[in-house]
Amino acid sequence: TTVHSAKLRVDGIHKYLDHNSFRFDHSFDEESSTEDVYWYTAQPLVRYVCGGGKRGGVCCATVFAYGQTGSGKTFTMNGIQKMVAEDIFSILVDNVLLEEEDESGNGGCSCDNTTISIA
C-alpha cells in the first residue's frame, strides 16, 4: 500500500507529495471481529511462545496496537488478552501437565517451575 501525503516545504509556500509504501501481513476494517484480529496477530505468537521460541533464554512475544483515538484498540486488546489466556491454559492442559501414575494406580497431574505472566 502506498500513502500519498500532501506537504508544504519549509518555506511554507511550495507544496509537494510525499510517498510512503507499507507492507501489511493483514489489514482489518470496521467489520472485523476481535476474534479475526486475534487469529491473525496474537494466536501465532501464542503458538510461538508455547512451542519454545526463545530469545535470550526467555520465551516472549509482544502485541502492539496502534491506531486513531476511539478506534477500539483497548476493547480489542482486552478481548485478545482473554483469548491469549484461554489458549495458554488450554495448551498447558494439553501439553505441559503430565499425567503420572502414582503408586496407588490413581492418575494425577503435576507441573513444576512454571511461570506465566499475562499483562
Side-chain angles (χ1 to χ4, degrees):
T1 302
T2 301
V3 176
H4 307 284
S5 303
K7 304 235 176 167
L8 284 174
R9 296 211 184 272
V10 178
D11 63 14
I13 299 170
H14 296 96
K15 298 177 186 177
Y16 70 99
L17 278 178
D18 190 20
H19 310 283
N20 292 297
S21 295
F22 302 94
R23 286 188 56 220
F24 299 99
D25 293 331
H26 197 85
S27 62
F28 304 96
D29 62 15
E30 63 276 357
E31 299 298 319
S32 298
S33 67
T34 300
E35 290 80 12
D36 294 335
V37 176
Y38 175 72
W39 179 256
Y40 288 101
T41 59
Q43 201 268 342
L45 297 174
V46 171
R47 284 195 326 256
Y48 169 77
V49 169
C50 292
K54 294 186 181 216
R55 178 182 172 139
V58 176
C59 296
C60 62
T62 300
V63 176
F64 179 78
Y66 178 81
Q68 183 176 353
T69 299
S71 62
K73 296 176 301 294
T74 301
F75 176 83
T76 301
M77 290 303 289
N78 285 337
I80 285 174
Q81 266 188 322
K82 181 180 178 206
M83 288 180 260
V84 165
E86 289 170 355
D87 277 358
I88 287 173
F89 285 106
S90 176
I91 290 168
L92 281 172
V93 168
D94 292 343
N95 298 324
V96 176
L97 297 177
L98 305 173
E99 278 192 40
E100 298 178 14
E101 287 283 313
D102 64 16
E103 294 169 6
S104 65
N106 297 326
C109 294
S110 69
C111 182
D112 298 320
N113 299 323
T114 300
T115 302
I116 298 170
S117 175
I118 301 172

